[in-house]
Amino acid sequence: MNDLRTALGLLTIFPIRGDRISARALAYYPLVGLLIGALLIAAHFLLRLALPNLSAAALLVAVWAALTGALHLDGFSDACDGIVCDGNARTPARNLA
């Protein structure tokens, strides 16, 4: 149970921490992902009741980012940086700017 709490604390913004971080917490990542997905599905249905499609979709992405602490959005932006920034034409300082 401690490993599940560790996985929840690492992958979400919930202030849940296990006693220690261990590799066994990796086994619970799919379960935490399923929980996040279930919460997002519930939020999707609630948002669609009150808002038009585009507004509901935008708020759902915001809920997802808030729930995970923008963990996946950070990885996405890092990947875009690597694809778009040409390392030969720019200096690292210019890429950061």
Side-chain angles (χ1 to χ4, degrees), residues 37 56 90:
R90 295 184 177 190

Side-chain angles (χ1 to χ4, degrees), residues 14-82:
F14 298 135
I16 303 169
R17 291 283 186 231
D19 294 338
R20 58 185 165 70
I21 296 175
S22 70
R24 292 181 305 186
L26 290 172
Y28 291 98
Y29 280 20
L31 183 61
V32 173
L34 186 64
L35 174 66
I36 292 170
L39 290 172
L40 290 175
I41 287 172
H44 166 74
F45 284 118
L46 292 175
L47 289 170
R48 287 287 311 271
L49 290 175
L51 299 170
N53 288 342
L54 188 59
S55 299
L59 281 176
L60 189 63
V61 171
V63 168
W64 172 56
L67 187 62
T68 62
L71 179 69
H72 294 87
L73 296 178
D74 180 52
F76 175 70
S77 64
D78 287 343
C80 289
D81 261 352

